[in-house]
Amino acid sequence: MSDHNHHDDCGCGHDHDHEHDEEIFIVTDQDGKEHEMVMVYTFEVKEQAYAVLLDRNEPEADGVIFRIEEENDEAFLASIEDEAEWDRVVKVYEELMEQDQQ
């Protein structure tokens, strides 16, 4: 995996209540700093699953989108490194959020 991470505004705009039974993911940013992230939303684009995670300690910060990949029946998060894929995923996510707000 490369150091290329997208920290663009996910456009989430939701008020997320964090519960104590949430699943925490440790994500290391490009500066080597670890963040406790909470998965708040999942969606699919062209039969590929994606997850939106928020920093557990900074719930007002922008969300981060990761691709959900499976290998040997185990799921893991992967950075989206392809710019065309990133643009496509963000566009779909923004459309979903617009629909949710209506």
Side-chain angles (χ1 to χ4, degrees):
M1 225 182 281
S2 79
D3 290 330
H4 184 80
N5 291 327
H6 290 279
H7 291 280
D8 297 66
D9 185 354
C10 74
C12 181
H14 285 142
D15 202 9
H16 299 282
D17 295 323
H18 299 291
E19 300 173 9
H20 293 288
D21 61 347
E22 61 202 6
E23 191 168 355
I24 305 298
F25 298 86
I26 303 299
V27 177
T28 304
D29 67 17
Q30 58 205 25
D31 298 323
K33 183 178 177 187
E34 289 187 346
H35 299 269
E36 291 183 358
M37 306 292 284
V38 179
M39 187 180 302
V40 295
Y41 192 80
T42 59
F43 62 103
E44 287 191 11
V45 178
K46 295 187 176 184
E47 298 183 21
Q48 172 62 58
Y50 295 90
V52 179
L53 280 73
L54 290 179
D55 191 316
R56 184 172 183 234
N57 299 312
E58 296 180 43
E60 299 303 316
D62 295 337
V64 182
I65 301 174
F66 289 93
R67 182 175 49 244
I68 301 173
E69 295 188 355
E70 290 189 32
E71 187 174 297
N72 300 326
D73 293 328
E74 288 191 33
F76 62 94
L77 301 174
S79 295
I80 302 171
E81 299 183 19
D82 179 74
E83 291 296 325
E85 178 184 9
W86 176 255
D87 292 341
R88 186 172 56 246
V89 168
V90 169
K91 182 179 180 190
V92 169
Y93 180 70
E94 289 173 346
E95 289 171 359
L96 290 169
M97 291 303 98
E98 283 179 25
Q99 290 172 8
D100 280 356
Q101 292 177 3
Q102 293 179 4

